[in-house]
Amino acid sequence: MEQLVIHGGAGSLEGKTTEAQIMHDSLCKVWEETFEVLQKRTAEDAVRYAVRMLEDDPVYNAGTGSKLQADGQIRMSAALMDGTNNRFSGVINVQNIQNPIEAAALLSGEKHSILSSAQATEFCRTKGIPEYNPETEFRLHEYKSNCAGIHGTVGAVALDKDGHIFAGTSTGGIGCEIPGRVSDTPTVAGTYASTKAGVSCTGIGEQITQQAAAAKVVTRVGDGMLLNEAVTKTMQESDDFNYLYGLISLDSEGHVEVGKTAALSDVFYVFHDGEKIRTFFE
Ligand code: GLY
């Protein structure tokens, strides 16, 4: 049976009821449209569809509406992982494209499947991806006022009817970072999948990377641990360092787990538990 879980980042929306409602409605719409895609097509199609929709919504910090780095430039990162074929691909700090997840998907067919910076952007041009300015007035204002705001990395993990698991994540980073910083998103710490499980992370990239979070959860499930145990153990280990991040995950039987460290308020997620839609805004 198909399963799909998506996220629109992590943080606190306490006292921001309007923002929470907007994000909730957006995530539910993305989940519903994407689930239809998943029922007709593949896990890869579904993950790319969901992440594209989220990248195109300026509410999130990915694609259109990405945060600006310290030098005022937007550099985006995205990754896609095919759990069946053990194929990870991604772009790091790519510029001036609309959908970084599509660049990651294009790279999955290449011998060298992860590209960074100018060469990632150049690869997109050679593949016919047009120039696109992802900057929004809101993010420019946020940048000029010391980069406050919600992070809003996006991600999706899908299991299709043939049992294939894909995971995808896309981010504009943390805002005002040193130009060239590499987040967890385009690494196996932030995005990982196997035939047994898939994970997409959100939160402070350095901390997610230091915990090898996504790969660790997936490996634990591969070694026989239940998904909920794998997520709980990984979060507990991260709590030893007071880390701030969360993740969405699913396994080959369709179980979904949303995990977060104790210091994190919320992961902005949506999935269906078999009876009803479950969201962060309940
Ligand atoms: N997790 C996204 C970032 O740290 O850039």
PDB file of all heavy atoms in Angstrom, residues 230-263:
ATOM      1  N   ALA A 230      14.091   3.161  16.004  1.00  0.00           N
ATOM      2  CA  ALA A 230      15.257   3.764  15.335  1.00  0.00           C
ATOM      3  C   ALA A 230      15.209   5.284  15.436  1.00  0.00           C
ATOM      4  O   ALA A 230      16.223   5.947  15.700  1.00  0.00           O
ATOM      5  CB  ALA A 230      15.306   3.328  13.871  1.00  0.00           C
ATOM      6  N   VAL A 231      14.012   5.834  15.250  1.00  0.00           N
ATOM      7  CA  VAL A 231      13.866   7.293  15.326  1.00  0.00           C
ATOM      8  C   VAL A 231      14.065   7.761  16.773  1.00  0.00           C
ATOM      9  O   VAL A 231      14.804   8.710  17.040  1.00  0.00           O
ATOM     10  CB  VAL A 231      12.490   7.741  14.778  1.00  0.00           C
ATOM     11  CG1 VAL A 231      12.222   9.206  15.081  1.00  0.00           C
ATOM     12  CG2 VAL A 231      12.414   7.489  13.272  1.00  0.00           C
ATOM     13  N   THR A 232      13.431   7.059  17.711  1.00  0.00           N
ATOM     14  CA  THR A 232      13.551   7.458  19.122  1.00  0.00           C
ATOM     15  C   THR A 232      15.006   7.417  19.581  1.00  0.00           C
ATOM     16  O   THR A 232      15.501   8.357  20.214  1.00  0.00           O
ATOM     17  CB  THR A 232      12.689   6.519  20.011  1.00  0.00           C
ATOM     18  OG1 THR A 232      11.339   6.616  19.566  1.00  0.00           O
ATOM     19  CG2 THR A 232      12.756   6.906  21.476  1.00  0.00           C
ATOM     20  N   LYS A 233      15.708   6.351  19.252  1.00  0.00           N
ATOM     21  CA  LYS A 233      17.112   6.215  19.681  1.00  0.00           C
ATOM     22  C   LYS A 233      17.975   7.323  19.073  1.00  0.00           C
ATOM     23  O   LYS A 233      18.806   7.929  19.748  1.00  0.00           O
ATOM     24  CB  LYS A 233      17.643   4.831  19.275  1.00  0.00           C
ATOM     25  CG  LYS A 233      19.027   4.512  19.832  1.00  0.00           C
ATOM     26  CD  LYS A 233      19.339   3.033  19.642  1.00  0.00           C
ATOM     27  CE  LYS A 233      20.780   2.679  19.949  1.00  0.00           C
ATOM     28  NZ  LYS A 233      21.246   3.009  21.284  1.00  0.00           N
ATOM     29  N   THR A 234      17.738   7.609  17.805  1.00  0.00           N
ATOM     30  CA  THR A 234      18.527   8.644  17.129  1.00  0.00           C
ATOM     31  C   THR A 234      18.257  10.017  17.744  1.00  0.00           C
ATOM     32  O   THR A 234      19.178  10.819  17.957  1.00  0.00           O
ATOM     33  CB  THR A 234      18.210   8.627  15.619  1.00  0.00           C
ATOM     34  OG1 THR A 234      18.492   7.312  15.123  1.00  0.00           O
ATOM     35  CG2 THR A 234      19.029   9.644  14.850  1.00  0.00           C
ATOM     36  N   MET A 235      17.005  10.270  18.069  1.00  0.00           N
ATOM     37  CA  MET A 235      16.667  11.558  18.694  1.00  0.00           C
ATOM     38  C   MET A 235      17.275  11.651  20.093  1.00  0.00           C
ATOM     39  O   MET A 235      17.774  12.697  20.497  1.00  0.00           O
ATOM     40  CB  MET A 235      15.141  11.731  18.765  1.00  0.00           C
ATOM     41  CG  MET A 235      14.472  11.887  17.424  1.00  0.00           C
ATOM     42  SD  MET A 235      15.072  13.337  16.544  1.00  0.00           S
ATOM     43  CE  MET A 235      15.671  12.592  15.069  1.00  0.00           C
ATOM     44  N   GLN A 236      17.241  10.541  20.833  1.00  0.00           N
ATOM     45  CA  GLN A 236      17.825  10.547  22.188  1.00  0.00           C
ATOM     46  C   GLN A 236      19.322  10.843  22.126  1.00  0.00           C
ATOM     47  O   GLN A 236      19.854  11.618  22.929  1.00  0.00           O
ATOM     48  CB  GLN A 236      17.601   9.195  22.878  1.00  0.00           C
ATOM     49  CG  GLN A 236      16.201   9.066  23.465  1.00  0.00           C
ATOM     50  CD  GLN A 236      15.854   7.635  23.859  1.00  0.00           C
ATOM     51  OE1 GLN A 236      16.589   6.691  23.559  1.00  0.00           O
ATOM     52  NE2 GLN A 236      14.709   7.472  24.507  1.00  0.00           N
ATOM     53  N   GLU A 237      19.999  10.250  21.158  1.00  0.00           N
ATOM     54  CA  GLU A 237      21.446  10.504  21.014  1.00  0.00           C
ATOM     55  C   GLU A 237      21.701  11.985  20.698  1.00  0.00           C
ATOM     56  O   GLU A 237      22.668  12.576  21.185  1.00  0.00           O
ATOM     57  CB  GLU A 237      22.023   9.609  19.904  1.00  0.00           C
ATOM     58  CG  GLU A 237      22.116   8.162  20.316  1.00  0.00           C
ATOM     59  CD  GLU A 237      22.335   7.207  19.161  1.00  0.00           C
ATOM     60  OE1 GLU A 237      22.322   7.657  17.982  1.00  0.00           O
ATOM     61  OE2 GLU A 237      22.498   6.007  19.416  1.00  0.00           O
ATOM     62  N   SER A 238      20.829  12.563  19.895  1.00  0.00           N
ATOM     63  CA  SER A 238      20.986  13.979  19.537  1.00  0.00           C
ATOM     64  C   SER A 238      20.663  14.884  20.724  1.00  0.00           C
ATOM     65  O   SER A 238      21.233  15.974  20.865  1.00  0.00           O
ATOM     66  CB  SER A 238      20.090  14.317  18.351  1.00  0.00           C
ATOM     67  OG  SER A 238      20.443  13.532  17.241  1.00  0.00           O
ATOM     68  N   ASP A 239      19.755  14.425  21.585  1.00  0.00           N
ATOM     69  CA  ASP A 239      19.422  15.202  22.785  1.00  0.00           C
ATOM     70  C   ASP A 239      20.611  15.315  23.735  1.00  0.00           C
ATOM     71  O   ASP A 239      20.703  16.273  24.505  1.00  0.00           O
ATOM     72  CB  ASP A 239      18.216  14.577  23.508  1.00  0.00           C
ATOM     73  CG  ASP A 239      16.906  14.879  22.800  1.00  0.00           C
ATOM     74  OD1 ASP A 239      16.857  15.888  22.055  1.00  0.00           O
ATOM     75  OD2 ASP A 239      15.947  14.118  22.973  1.00  0.00           O
ATOM     76  N   ASP A 240      21.512  14.352  23.684  1.00  0.00           N
ATOM     77  CA  ASP A 240      22.725  14.436  24.531  1.00  0.00           C
ATOM     78  C   ASP A 240      23.508  15.704  24.220  1.00  0.00           C
ATOM     79  O   ASP A 240      24.286  16.188  25.038  1.00  0.00           O
ATOM     80  CB  ASP A 240      23.635  13.221  24.296  1.00  0.00           C
ATOM     81  CG  ASP A 240      23.026  11.937  24.850  1.00  0.00           C
ATOM     82  OD1 ASP A 240      22.081  12.043  25.660  1.00  0.00           O
ATOM     83  OD2 ASP A 240      23.493  10.852  24.467  1.00  0.00           O
ATOM     84  N   PHE A 241      23.335  16.218  22.991  1.00  0.00           N
ATOM     85  CA  PHE A 241      24.055  17.427  22.569  1.00  0.00           C
ATOM     86  C   PHE A 241      23.124  18.644  22.500  1.00  0.00           C
ATOM     87  O   PHE A 241      23.512  19.690  22.002  1.00  0.00           O
ATOM     88  CB  PHE A 241      24.706  17.193  21.195  1.00  0.00           C
ATOM     89  CG  PHE A 241      25.718  16.091  21.188  1.00  0.00           C
ATOM     90  CD1 PHE A 241      25.355  14.805  20.819  1.00  0.00           C
ATOM     91  CD2 PHE A 241      27.036  16.325  21.566  1.00  0.00           C
ATOM     92  CE1 PHE A 241      26.291  13.768  20.819  1.00  0.00           C
ATOM     93  CE2 PHE A 241      27.973  15.308  21.564  1.00  0.00           C
ATOM     94  CZ  PHE A 241      27.594  14.015  21.190  1.00  0.00           C
ATOM     95  N   ASN A 242      21.892  18.438  22.944  1.00  0.00           N
ATOM     96  CA  ASN A 242      20.897  19.521  22.900  1.00  0.00           C
ATOM     97  C   ASN A 242      20.680  20.046  21.478  1.00  0.00           C
ATOM     98  O   ASN A 242      20.548  21.259  21.259  1.00  0.00           O
ATOM     99  CB  ASN A 242      21.317  20.655  23.843  1.00  0.00           C
ATOM    100  CG  ASN A 242      20.120  21.488  24.266  1.00  0.00           C
ATOM    101  OD1 ASN A 242      18.995  20.987  24.310  1.00  0.00           O
ATOM    102  ND2 ASN A 242      20.345  22.755  24.555  1.00  0.00           N
ATOM    103  N   TYR A 243      20.687  19.137  20.526  1.00  0.00           N
ATOM    104  CA  TYR A 243      20.555  19.524  19.118  1.00  0.00           C
ATOM    105  C   TYR A 243      19.104  19.904  18.788  1.00  0.00           C
ATOM    106  O   TYR A 243      18.170  19.566  19.513  1.00  0.00           O
ATOM    107  CB  TYR A 243      21.028  18.387  18.208  1.00  0.00           C
ATOM    108  CG  TYR A 243      22.534  18.290  18.101  1.00  0.00           C
ATOM    109  CD1 TYR A 243      23.122  17.198  17.466  1.00  0.00           C
ATOM    110  CD2 TYR A 243      23.374  19.275  18.617  1.00  0.00           C
ATOM    111  CE1 TYR A 243      24.501  17.090  17.347  1.00  0.00           C
ATOM    112  CE2 TYR A 243      24.751  19.173  18.500  1.00  0.00           C
ATOM    113  CZ  TYR A 243      25.311  18.084  17.870  1.00  0.00           C
ATOM    114  OH  TYR A 243      26.665  17.987  17.736  1.00  0.00           O
ATOM    115  N   LEU A 244      18.999  20.607  17.659  1.00  0.00           N
ATOM    116  CA  LEU A 244      17.721  21.197  17.260  1.00  0.00           C
ATOM    117  C   LEU A 244      17.392  20.767  15.824  1.00  0.00           C
ATOM    118  O   LEU A 244      17.824  21.395  14.863  1.00  0.00           O
ATOM    119  CB  LEU A 244      17.883  22.719  17.323  1.00  0.00           C
ATOM    120  CG  LEU A 244      16.636  23.591  17.382  1.00  0.00           C
ATOM    121  CD1 LEU A 244      15.909  23.414  18.708  1.00  0.00           C
ATOM    122  CD2 LEU A 244      17.020  25.051  17.206  1.00  0.00           C
ATOM    123  N   TYR A 245      16.686  19.657  15.722  1.00  0.00           N
ATOM    124  CA  TYR A 245      16.280  19.229  14.378  1.00  0.00           C
ATOM    125  C   TYR A 245      15.172  18.187  14.477  1.00  0.00           C
ATOM    126  O   TYR A 245      14.866  17.673  15.562  1.00  0.00           O
ATOM    127  CB  TYR A 245      17.470  18.708  13.569  1.00  0.00           C
ATOM    128  CG  TYR A 245      17.938  17.320  13.909  1.00  0.00           C
ATOM    129  CD1 TYR A 245      17.431  16.210  13.256  1.00  0.00           C
ATOM    130  CD2 TYR A 245      18.890  17.113  14.894  1.00  0.00           C
ATOM    131  CE1 TYR A 245      17.867  14.930  13.566  1.00  0.00           C
ATOM    132  CE2 TYR A 245      19.329  15.841  15.215  1.00  0.00           C
ATOM    133  CZ  TYR A 245      18.812  14.750  14.550  1.00  0.00           C
ATOM    134  OH  TYR A 245      19.227  13.482  14.862  1.00  0.00           O
ATOM    135  N   GLY A 246      14.589  17.890  13.315  1.00  0.00           N
ATOM    136  CA  GLY A 246      13.544  16.883  13.257  1.00  0.00           C
ATOM    137  C   GLY A 246      13.618  16.127  11.945  1.00  0.00           C
ATOM    138  O   GLY A 246      14.454  16.439  11.078  1.00  0.00           O
ATOM    139  N   LEU A 247      12.752  15.148  11.814  1.00  0.00           N
ATOM    140  CA  LEU A 247      12.756  14.361  10.578  1.00  0.00           C
ATOM    141  C   LEU A 247      11.393  13.724  10.347  1.00  0.00           C
ATOM    142  O   LEU A 247      10.599  13.566  11.273  1.00  0.00           O
ATOM    143  CB  LEU A 247      13.848  13.295  10.623  1.00  0.00           C
ATOM    144  CG  LEU A 247      13.840  12.258  11.770  1.00  0.00           C
ATOM    145  CD1 LEU A 247      12.882  11.113  11.514  1.00  0.00           C
ATOM    146  CD2 LEU A 247      15.249  11.696  11.954  1.00  0.00           C
ATOM    147  N   ILE A 248      11.162  13.381   9.078  1.00  0.00           N
ATOM    148  CA  ILE A 248      10.024  12.541   8.715  1.00  0.00           C
ATOM    149  C   ILE A 248      10.585  11.239   8.186  1.00  0.00           C
ATOM    150  O   ILE A 248      11.677  11.233   7.589  1.00  0.00           O
ATOM    151  CB  ILE A 248       9.100  13.212   7.666  1.00  0.00           C
ATOM    152  CG1 ILE A 248       9.886  13.607   6.399  1.00  0.00           C
ATOM    153  CG2 ILE A 248       8.373  14.412   8.268  1.00  0.00           C
ATOM    154  CD1 ILE A 248       8.989  13.999   5.225  1.00  0.00           C
ATOM    155  N   SER A 249       9.851  10.142   8.409  1.00  0.00           N
ATOM    156  CA  SER A 249      10.366   8.855   7.937  1.00  0.00           C
ATOM    157  C   SER A 249       9.208   7.895   7.682  1.00  0.00           C
ATOM    158  O   SER A 249       8.110   8.057   8.238  1.00  0.00           O
ATOM    159  CB  SER A 249      11.299   8.257   8.993  1.00  0.00           C
ATOM    160  OG  SER A 249      10.591   7.971  10.187  1.00  0.00           O
ATOM    161  N   LEU A 250       9.489   6.915   6.847  1.00  0.00           N
ATOM    162  CA  LEU A 250       8.540   5.803   6.682  1.00  0.00           C
ATOM    163  C   LEU A 250       9.320   4.535   6.422  1.00  0.00           C
ATOM    164  O   LEU A 250      10.509   4.573   6.079  1.00  0.00           O
ATOM    165  CB  LEU A 250       7.525   6.090   5.569  1.00  0.00           C
ATOM    166  CG  LEU A 250       7.960   6.368   4.146  1.00  0.00           C
ATOM    167  CD1 LEU A 250       8.508   5.152   3.422  1.00  0.00           C
ATOM    168  CD2 LEU A 250       6.771   6.899   3.339  1.00  0.00           C
ATOM    169  N   ASP A 251       8.650   3.381   6.609  1.00  0.00           N
ATOM    170  CA  ASP A 251       9.319   2.109   6.316  1.00  0.00           C
ATOM    171  C   ASP A 251       8.567   1.345   5.230  1.00  0.00           C
ATOM    172  O   ASP A 251       7.531   1.808   4.734  1.00  0.00           O
ATOM    173  CB  ASP A 251       9.526   1.271   7.595  1.00  0.00           C
ATOM    174  CG  ASP A 251       8.211   0.747   8.181  1.00  0.00           C
ATOM    175  OD1 ASP A 251       7.179   0.760   7.481  1.00  0.00           O
ATOM    176  OD2 ASP A 251       8.222   0.335   9.358  1.00  0.00           O
ATOM    177  N   SER A 252       9.098   0.192   4.865  1.00  0.00           N
ATOM    178  CA  SER A 252       8.559  -0.561   3.722  1.00  0.00           C
ATOM    179  C   SER A 252       7.179  -1.146   4.011  1.00  0.00           C
ATOM    180  O   SER A 252       6.516  -1.635   3.105  1.00  0.00           O
ATOM    181  CB  SER A 252       9.539  -1.675   3.332  1.00  0.00           C
ATOM    182  OG  SER A 252       9.808  -2.469   4.468  1.00  0.00           O
ATOM    183  N   GLU A 253       6.757  -1.120   5.280  1.00  0.00           N
ATOM    184  CA  GLU A 253       5.404  -1.587   5.599  1.00  0.00           C
ATOM    185  C   GLU A 253       4.407  -0.432   5.686  1.00  0.00           C
ATOM    186  O   GLU A 253       3.235  -0.629   6.028  1.00  0.00           O
ATOM    187  CB  GLU A 253       5.419  -2.363   6.916  1.00  0.00           C
ATOM    188  CG  GLU A 253       6.124  -3.694   6.757  1.00  0.00           C
ATOM    189  CD  GLU A 253       6.316  -4.413   8.072  1.00  0.00           C
ATOM    190  OE1 GLU A 253       5.728  -4.007   9.086  1.00  0.00           O
ATOM    191  OE2 GLU A 253       7.089  -5.374   8.065  1.00  0.00           O
ATOM    192  N   GLY A 254       4.908   0.780   5.438  1.00  0.00           N
ATOM    193  CA  GLY A 254       4.008   1.937   5.431  1.00  0.00           C
ATOM    194  C   GLY A 254       3.864   2.635   6.770  1.00  0.00           C
ATOM    195  O   GLY A 254       3.046   3.546   6.903  1.00  0.00           O
ATOM    196  N   HIS A 255       4.653   2.212   7.763  1.00  0.00           N
ATOM    197  CA  HIS A 255       4.625   2.946   9.043  1.00  0.00           C
ATOM    198  C   HIS A 255       5.299   4.298   8.850  1.00  0.00           C
ATOM    199  O   HIS A 255       6.302   4.395   8.140  1.00  0.00           O
ATOM    200  CB  HIS A 255       5.391   2.188  10.143  1.00  0.00           C
ATOM    201  CG  HIS A 255       4.840   0.831  10.407  1.00  0.00           C
ATOM    202  ND1 HIS A 255       5.544  -0.322  10.171  1.00  0.00           N
ATOM    203  CD2 HIS A 255       3.630   0.455  10.876  1.00  0.00           C
ATOM    204  CE1 HIS A 255       4.804  -1.365  10.487  1.00  0.00           C
ATOM    205  NE2 HIS A 255       3.624  -0.919  10.910  1.00  0.00           N
ATOM    206  N   VAL A 256       4.755   5.322   9.507  1.00  0.00           N
ATOM    207  CA  VAL A 256       5.343   6.663   9.440  1.00  0.00           C
ATOM    208  C   VAL A 256       5.763   7.080  10.840  1.00  0.00           C
ATOM    209  O   VAL A 256       5.035   6.836  11.805  1.00  0.00           O
ATOM    210  CB  VAL A 256       4.323   7.690   8.883  1.00  0.00           C
ATOM    211  CG1 VAL A 256       4.850   9.121   9.031  1.00  0.00           C
ATOM    212  CG2 VAL A 256       4.021   7.403   7.423  1.00  0.00           C
ATOM    213  N   GLU A 257       6.924   7.710  10.939  1.00  0.00           N
ATOM    214  CA  GLU A 257       7.365   8.296  12.206  1.00  0.00           C
ATOM    215  C   GLU A 257       7.866   9.706  11.943  1.00  0.00           C
ATOM    216  O   GLU A 257       8.643   9.934  10.998  1.00  0.00           O
ATOM    217  CB  GLU A 257       8.526   7.499  12.819  1.00  0.00           C
ATOM    218  CG  GLU A 257       8.103   6.230  13.502  1.00  0.00           C
ATOM    219  CD  GLU A 257       7.202   6.450  14.721  1.00  0.00           C
ATOM    220  OE1 GLU A 257       7.443   7.414  15.477  1.00  0.00           O
ATOM    221  OE2 GLU A 257       6.265   5.655  14.891  1.00  0.00           O
ATOM    222  N   VAL A 258       7.404  10.634  12.758  1.00  0.00           N
ATOM    223  CA  VAL A 258       7.944  11.991  12.734  1.00  0.00           C
ATOM    224  C   VAL A 258       8.730  12.139  14.029  1.00  0.00           C
ATOM    225  O   VAL A 258       8.195  11.900  15.112  1.00  0.00           O
ATOM    226  CB  VAL A 258       6.811  13.043  12.671  1.00  0.00           C
ATOM    227  CG1 VAL A 258       7.394  14.447  12.694  1.00  0.00           C
ATOM    228  CG2 VAL A 258       5.959  12.832  11.429  1.00  0.00           C
ATOM    229  N   GLY A 259       9.995  12.489  13.902  1.00  0.00           N
ATOM    230  CA  GLY A 259      10.836  12.604  15.098  1.00  0.00           C
ATOM    231  C   GLY A 259      11.354  14.012  15.264  1.00  0.00           C
ATOM    232  O   GLY A 259      11.499  14.753  14.285  1.00  0.00           O
ATOM    233  N   LYS A 260      11.597  14.372  16.520  1.00  0.00           N
ATOM    234  CA  LYS A 260      12.213  15.672  16.770  1.00  0.00           C
ATOM    235  C   LYS A 260      13.015  15.602  18.053  1.00  0.00           C
ATOM    236  O   LYS A 260      12.704  14.799  18.944  1.00  0.00           O
ATOM    237  CB  LYS A 260      11.157  16.779  16.842  1.00  0.00           C
ATOM    238  CG  LYS A 260      10.266  16.721  18.051  1.00  0.00           C
ATOM    239  CD  LYS A 260       9.415  17.966  18.137  1.00  0.00           C
ATOM    240  CE  LYS A 260       8.810  18.114  19.532  1.00  0.00           C
ATOM    241  NZ  LYS A 260       9.767  18.424  20.596  1.00  0.00           N
ATOM    242  N   THR A 261      14.031  16.431  18.137  1.00  0.00           N
ATOM    243  CA  THR A 261      14.799  16.504  19.372  1.00  0.00           C
ATOM    244  C   THR A 261      13.978  17.269  20.411  1.00  0.00           C
ATOM    245  O   THR A 261      13.051  18.013  20.064  1.00  0.00           O
ATOM    246  CB  THR A 261      16.144  17.211  19.139  1.00  0.00           C
ATOM    247  OG1 THR A 261      15.884  18.504  18.589  1.00  0.00           O
ATOM    248  CG2 THR A 261      17.035  16.415  18.200  1.00  0.00           C
ATOM    249  N   ALA A 262      14.349  17.109  21.675  1.00  0.00           N
ATOM    250  CA  ALA A 262      13.574  17.734  22.757  1.00  0.00           C
ATOM    251  C   ALA A 262      13.580  19.257  22.651  1.00  0.00           C
ATOM    252  O   ALA A 262      12.598  19.921  23.004  1.00  0.00           O
ATOM    253  CB  ALA A 262      14.133  17.295  24.106  1.00  0.00           C
ATOM    254  N   ALA A 263      14.688  19.807  22.139  1.00  0.00           N
ATOM    255  CA  ALA A 263      14.824  21.274  22.081  1.00  0.00           C
ATOM    256  C   ALA A 263      13.987  21.903  20.964  1.00  0.00           C
ATOM    257  O   ALA A 263      13.760  23.118  20.963  1.00  0.00           O
ATOM    258  CB  ALA A 263      16.289  21.645  21.903  1.00  0.00           C
TER     259      ALA A 263
END
